[in-house]
Amino acid sequence: MKPLSLLLSVALGLVTAVSAGPAVIECWMVEDAGGGRLTKKPAALLLRQGPGRLPPRPDLEPELYLKVRDPAGALQAAFRRYPSDAPAPHCEMSRYLPLPASANWASALTPEQSCPRALDGTWLMVSVSSPILSLSSFLRPESEPQPEPNLITMVTAVLTVLTHTPTPRIRLGQDALLDLKFAYMPPTSEAATSLAPGPPPFGLEWRRQHLGKGHLLLAATPGLSEQMPPAQEGAVAFAAWDDDEPWGPWTGNGTLWLPAVQPFQEGTYLATVHLPYLQGQVALELAVQKPPKVSLTPAPLVWATRGEAPPQLQCLVSHFYPSEGLEVEWELRGGPEGSFQKAEGQKWLSALLHHSDGTVSLSAHLQPVPITAEHHGARYACRVHHPTLPALGRSAEVTLEVAGLSGPTLEDGVGLFLSAFLLLGLIKALGWAAAYMCTSKDSKEKKAQ
């Protein structure tokens, strides 16, 4: 009985795993309305159908209610991993016209003079973006909407390009690994059999755009002996098909590796997969980060006298990136008004100091107000908030000692200094007297001889 219950549990777990993620993706169909205007109509992608009839969508035109056939399983796998509590992805669709790649290095992918007849007909390009994933997919609709059980259009996913790291956050100086996967299924059986068995040649392109400038980082055409432009900044791509089925579908990998990332390398990375007359692209937003170090001086103790202000405190926030988003707060913990309060006094920040590695530093200053005996044992803290730090930030603190309440008072210190001065003078006087007596004794002995 136990093996049966265990098998049932495993089966239920598999069903749960398979059915995870959204079954329907809400989209917008974007079309050119002329005169520089765009129109938007609601659309939907039905990725997975549960038991029973299709869910009715009277709010959608039949041509925009799309049931997706995904031979390579790339779309299904991408959304199967989508967390249920994550925000819904943003999805847009548009019409697409197959064209050869414009890049010279990819010209060998389209040796034909014209687009093959196998690519004739209507094409739709779907772009999906979210903090979880980013993808583009080319859909090939069937000629007529299906009337039963609801008006819906069947489409086939031909080429899908996706990444599960759409917003990578990389620690300064560490390597960046920008994920990229793609899958392809020939649109027709005739198109598959007209080519040699196995996956077709493809082109991979990685570009970076930042502050209005863009340049090519890496280009590759595995399987073709074309002259490629040299890779920049030590970039390496794992460009290959993952399988070699004779007639497809095929999945591939185009992940980019950047060694020892520096601040100038952040920006928008455009990854494009070129197939003959089809180009799928996704965008990744890479940010470089380094959390700040925080130190507070003077330390470890601040010594002050009642009625006077403690010495000026300096909080050094060093070697962080980016410079934006930094906040510094001063706190007084254990003071007379409770366990926590904002520290009073004059506060100011220094100018940014730029370092050769791209990081920056600054110092925050606090001139505290005069203190009372109740401040004894309180702690001044400098708390720093930055996008690279947890919500509570990072802090450093020093303890305030009030003279006369712990250890020697200021008067005691002056008295000890005077006592030490007099004792030193007495020791020197005795030394002079002893030296004088020895000198006198020696002179008397010489006269007696």
Side-chain angles (χ1 to χ4, degrees):
M1 198 59 191
K2 286 186 178 180
L4 180 58
S5 60
L6 180 60
L7 185 60
L8 181 60
S9 300
V10 172
L12 289 175
L14 290 175
V15 169
T16 303
V18 169
S19 62
V24 178
I25 306 297
E26 302 295 334
C27 296
W28 290 100
M29 179 67 178
V30 181
E31 295 185 281
D32 186 4
R37 296 179 298 109
L38 297 175
T39 61
K40 296 174 65 175
K41 297 180 180 179
L45 301 177
L46 180 61
L47 301 179
R48 187 177 62 252
Q49 180 184 353
R53 295 167 60 90
L54 286 172
R57 292 298 300 264
D59 58 317
L60 301 178
E61 298 178 6
E63 295 80 7
L64 299 181
Y65 187 21
L66 308 178
K67 184 177 181 181
V68 181
R69 176 177 170 267
D70 185 19
L75 279 172
Q76 299 284 353
F79 287 103
R80 191 175 296 131
R81 298 170 52 180
Y82 205 87
S84 58
D85 56 347
H90 177 73
C91 175
E92 285 189 358
M93 292 194 306
S94 59
R95 302 193 185 279
Y96 179 79
L97 180 64
L99 292 171
S102 58
N104 292 331
W105 58 266
S107 59
L109 294 171
T110 54
E112 304 90 352
Q113 296 298 318
S114 60
C115 183
R117 299 299 301 272
L119 299 182
D120 286 351
T122 302
W123 286 84
L124 297 174
M125 182 177 67
V126 177
S127 297
V128 178
S129 60
S130 80
I132 308 300
L133 60 83
S134 177
L135 67 83
S136 66
S137 186
F138 293 93
L139 307 179
R140 186 79 179 273
E142 295 184 2
S143 56
E144 297 293 337
Q146 304 296 311
E148 295 295 340
N150 297 298
L151 290 176
I152 191 169
T153 300
M154 307 294 293
V155 295
T156 300
V158 176
L159 172 64
T160 300
V161 181
L162 65 95
T163 177
H164 288 286
T165 58
T167 56
R169 300 290 180 262
I170 308 300
R171 181 79 174 259
L172 188 149
Q174 293 186 350
D175 297 349
L177 202 63
L178 306 186
D179 167 70
L180 184 71
K181 300 291 190 299
F182 50 93
Y184 174 64
M185 180 65 187
T188 62
S189 58
E190 293 80 5
T193 55
S194 64
L195 301 173
F202 71 95
L204 174 66
E205 177 182 3
W206 280 93
R207 302 183 67 90
R208 181 176 68 240
Q209 293 181 346
H210 187 51
L211 300 178
K213 298 180 180 180
H215 68 279
L216 180 67
L217 277 178
L218 181 144
T221 52
L224 295 176
S225 57
E226 288 294 303
Q227 186 67 30
M228 292 292 104
Q232 305 295 315
E233 303 171 15
V236 177
F238 304 94
W241 292 104
D242 293 333
D243 42 36
D244 56 357
E245 295 292 330
W247 311 119
W250 303 286
T251 57
N253 192 338
T255 299
L256 182 73
W257 176 68
L258 287 174
V261 171
Q262 300 300 311
F264 75 89
Q265 292 175 293
E266 65 182 2
T268 302
Y269 283 71
L270 300 176
T272 307
V273 174
H274 296 270
L275 287 173
Y277 301 99
L278 297 176
Q279 297 88 39
Q281 185 179 87
V282 293
L284 300 84
E285 295 292 336
L286 186 146
V288 179
Q289 298 181 336
K290 187 175 182 182
K293 297 180 180 178
V294 181
S295 59
L296 186 56
T297 58
L301 296 177
V302 176
W303 191 30
T305 304
R306 284 171 287 182
E308 297 181 357
Q312 183 187 119
L313 301 178
Q314 175 179 294
C315 180
L316 179 59
V317 188
S318 61
H319 291 87
F320 63 94
Y321 188 87
S323 59
E324 298 82 8
L326 183 78
E327 296 181 5
V328 180
E329 298 175 348
W330 290 95
E331 302 170 354
L332 183 60
R333 303 171 180 175
E337 297 182 8
S339 60
F340 170 82
Q341 58 182 304
K342 289 187 177 181
E344 297 181 357
Q346 186 179 3
K347 308 165 188 175
W348 67 95
L349 296 175
S350 71
L352 285 174
L353 175 63
H354 294 264
H355 303 288
S356 59
D357 63 353
T359 61
V360 294
S361 299
L362 62 75
S363 57
H365 300 263
L366 172 68
Q367 179 56 65
V369 298
I371 61 170
T372 65
E374 295 176 334
H375 287 94
H376 176 70
R379 303 183 308 279
Y380 278 102
C382 164
R383 182 175 294 278
V384 174
H385 298 275
H386 190 257
T388 61
L389 296 173
L392 293 178
R394 182 170 291 172
S395 65
E397 63 180 40
V398 293
T399 303
L400 178 63
E401 297 286 348
V402 179
L405 298 177
S406 176
T409 64
L410 184 60
E411 293 78 4
D412 293 338
V414 175
L416 289 173
F417 173 77
L418 293 175
S419 299
F421 181 78
L422 293 174
L423 181 60
L424 179 61
L426 179 61
I427 293 174
K428 287 186 175 181
L430 291 175
W432 291 337
Y436 175 77
M437 291 179 64
C438 290
T439 304
S440 299
K441 183 177 181 181
D442 291 341
S443 60
K444 289 179 179 180
E445 290 178 351
K446 288 181 181 179
K447 289 181 180 180
Q449 293 175 357

